[in-house]
Amino acid sequence: MARLPVYLRALTLLIERGVATASSEDLAVAAGVNSAKLRKDLSYLGSYGTRGVGYDVEYLRYQIAREIGLTQDWPVAIVGLGNLGQALANYAGFGTRGFRVAALLDVDPDRIGRDFGGVVVRHLDELADLVDEHDISIGVVTTPGPVAQQVADRLVGSGVTSILNFAPAVITVPSGVDVRKVDLSIELQILAYHEQRKSMAGALHPGLDIDVVAQVVAP
Amino acid sequence: MARLPVYLRALTLLIERGVATASSEDLAVAAGVNSAKLRKDLSYLGSYGTRGVGYDVEYLRYQIAREIGLTQDWPVAIVGLGNLGQALANYAGFGTRGFRVAALLDVDPDRIGRDFGGVVVRHLDELADLVDEHDISIGVVTTPGPVAQQVADRLVGSGVTSILNFAPAVITVPSGVDVRKVDLSIELQILAYHEQRKSMAGALHPGLDIDVVAQVVAP
DNA sequence: AGGTGTGAACCCCTTCACAGCT
DNA sequence: AGCTGTGAAGGGGTTCACACCT
């Protein structure tokens, strides 16, 4: 179900373009997936399409938003106001997609008290109070790797049950808590891996067309 | 092979702790995966372990780094110096992980000429020259969604063959070019989806223990 | 005894192909 | 005629379990 958000974005895009009805093929192109996959995914939510016609874009968008749980706004806490944390705190796209920065936390005295997008940075010790006050269930970790586990522990201890981890570290949490990880270096390294293969293939078979080589080498 | 970077990080961590030898089970815990999976992954690289003993941490780390292609430094270009682009440009972890910010590009006159971490922001029109000059093959897109496709086209046209896309948009590229996508909103929406299920389960079966519910609900 | 390397079973996701509805 | 919804086939990755090496 990790593709529902992608479909949601594609539908929003189509609505902005004034499209009222779209076939699974249209949606699949907009979302960058196979149309059979998209139809099967949507069929799990119910029969929201019309045979011979397609899907009502507006209606389908609402159904997916409801399925994901975006009919409410989710308050989130961001821990670690370094470069990345500050960027996220200032990110305007948050609000339009069902989320709201409700709390910012750090331990650096130079950062505590500063204001990002109308929210003031507080000391990490106030975490539990803020989680309670704003009914926060989602935490974002943008700290250095070595302290990510401690921060995760404190988030969980404060009642947070979902964590988005940007820190370069593996964090372990009790069952019942969800963790998702975003790691810039890992993404780049995966690209580098493929890059290396591309140039090696070129060296081994200099006569081959670059596109052909790429197709053979790609996963 | 998307797990090699994770293993690499785990090995680096063990080296910092002074560990010389580790079993597949040790490594699996450090990397947050199953030990059988880890052994199978490593076996594709060759037989770098010793039965009855485990893996030589330092040696294995080098082999993985070589496999990924991190024996060289990869120059990258970052397009779009908004909040996120600036954060990445200032990110120190880049250098220690095999990458180097070689070029920064934008079209906003207020940003062009500014200096981030010793690199000056240039106009997007200079992209091809910079890619050529620094031999850049990896581009990072941190622009607003609506212009991401154009930027990707220009990157590809300039000779870039790998793109890391942070913009909230699906971009299409010719075969032979790799794209990886990182989308904050999507990650949060996936967490929200699970959060919604947690609270619904609690409402439906108020007598159930939260952990048990979570285990049943989780994928 | 301890731990790797790996065949084999397993499971889940993707893709095909088409029946059936409008 | 067109397009959805879905059974069935297919493929890839994960996990088990153990032979084999040190």
Side-chain angles (χ1 to χ4, degrees):
Chain A
M1 290 295 134
R3 285 185 297 270
L4 287 183
V6 181
Y7 301 159
L8 186 68
R9 192 194 303 293
L11 287 164
T12 304
L13 194 70
L14 291 176
I15 288 173
E16 284 168 4
R17 286 184 192 161
V19 177
T21 303
S23 70
S24 63
E25 183 59 33
D26 297 338
L27 291 176
V29 170
V33 301
N34 178 298
S35 68
K37 191 195 298 189
L38 182 138
R39 284 201 304 279
K40 181 145 287 192
D41 285 345
L42 295 184
S43 74
Y44 287 117
L45 311 185
S47 285
Y48 295 137
T50 308
R51 293 173 193 232
V53 180
Y55 298 89
D56 180 308
V57 175
E58 198 105 31
Y59 180 60
L60 182 58
R61 203 201 91 90
Y62 172 76
Q63 294 299 338
I64 291 181
R66 194 172 56 81
E67 182 76 13
I68 297 177
L70 298 185
T71 44
Q72 57 177 296
D73 248 40
W74 292 92
V76 306
I78 298 176
V79 184
L81 274 292
N83 289 324
L84 184 57
Q86 291 180 25
L88 296 186
N90 283 321
Y91 178 49
F94 257 138
T96 66
R97 295 196 173 84
F99 301 92
R100 182 168 48 82
V101 177
L104 300 174
L105 302 136
D106 207 308
V107 293
D108 184 340
D110 291 345
R111 290 175 186 161
I112 293 168
R114 288 179 63 186
D115 179 306
F116 295 97
V119 181
V120 176
V121 180
R122 311 278 281 273
H123 192 281
L124 185 58
D125 289 342
E126 302 183 46
L127 177 63
D129 289 343
L130 288 164
V131 167
D132 206 51
E133 182 188 340
H134 293 98
D135 198 22
I136 295 169
S137 51
I138 300 178
V140 178
V141 177
T142 47
T143 64
V147 299
Q149 182 64 58
Q150 307 168 34
V151 167
D153 292 343
R154 293 183 74 156
L155 281 169
V156 172
S158 301
V160 167
T161 47
S162 286
I163 295 175
L164 180 53
N165 178 29
F166 285 89
V170 174
I171 63 177
T172 58
V173 295
S175 74
V177 177
D178 286 304
V179 175
R180 294 192 66 84
K181 183 158 169 48
V182 175
D183 194 314
L184 167 68
S185 298
I186 287 181
E187 298 300 327
L188 284 175
Q189 287 175 6
I190 293 170
L191 289 175
Y193 174 84
H194 293 305
E195 276 302 320
Q196 188 189 222
R197 292 294 172 293
K198 289 176 197 170
S199 50
M200 282 171 59
L204 288 169
H205 311 286
L208 282 180
D209 181 80
I210 178 67
D211 271 9
V212 174
V213 169
Q215 284 173 33
V216 173
V217 172
Chain B
M1 290 295 134
R3 285 185 297 271
L4 288 182
V6 181
Y7 301 158
L8 187 69
R9 194 196 299 296
L11 287 164
T12 304
L13 193 71
L14 291 176
I15 288 173
E16 285 168 4
R17 286 183 191 162
V19 176
T21 303
S23 70
S24 62
E25 181 61 31
D26 297 338
L27 291 176
V29 170
V33 300
N34 178 297
S35 68
K37 191 194 299 187
L38 182 139
R39 283 202 303 279
K40 181 145 286 192
D41 285 344
L42 295 185
S43 75
Y44 287 116
L45 312 186
S47 286
Y48 295 137
T50 309
R51 296 176 192 230
V53 179
Y55 297 89
D56 180 308
V57 176
E58 199 105 32
Y59 180 61
L60 182 58
R61 202 201 91 90
Y62 172 77
Q63 294 299 338
I64 291 180
R66 194 173 54 82
E67 182 76 13
I68 297 177
L70 298 186
T71 45
Q72 55 178 297
D73 248 40
W74 293 91
V76 306
I78 298 177
V79 183
L81 275 291
N83 289 323
L84 184 58
Q86 291 181 25
L88 296 185
N90 283 320
Y91 178 48
F94 257 137
T96 65
R97 295 196 174 82
F99 302 92
R100 181 168 48 82
V101 177
L104 300 174
L105 301 136
D106 207 306
V107 292
D108 183 342
D110 291 346
R111 290 175 185 160
I112 293 168
R114 289 178 63 186
D115 180 305
F116 294 98
V119 182
V120 175
V121 180
R122 311 278 280 274
H123 192 281
L124 185 57
D125 288 342
E126 301 183 47
L127 178 62
D129 290 342
L130 288 164
V131 166
D132 206 51
E133 181 187 341
H134 293 98
D135 198 22
I136 295 170
S137 51
I138 300 178
V140 178
V141 178
T142 47
T143 65
V147 298
Q149 182 62 58
Q150 306 169 33
V151 167
D153 292 343
R154 294 183 72 155
L155 282 168
V156 172
S158 302
V160 167
T161 46
S162 286
I163 295 175
L164 181 53
N165 177 29
F166 284 90
V170 173
I171 63 177
T172 59
V173 295
S175 75
V177 178
D178 286 304
V179 176
R180 294 192 65 85
K181 182 158 168 48
V182 175
D183 193 314
L184 167 68
S185 298
I186 287 181
E187 298 299 327
L188 283 175
Q189 287 175 5
I190 293 170
L191 289 174
Y193 174 83
H194 292 305
E195 276 301 319
Q196 189 188 220
R197 291 296 173 292
K198 289 176 195 170
S199 51
M200 281 171 60
L204 289 170
H205 313 285
L208 282 182
D209 181 80
I210 178 68
D211 270 10
V212 174
V213 170
Q215 285 175 31
V216 172
V217 173

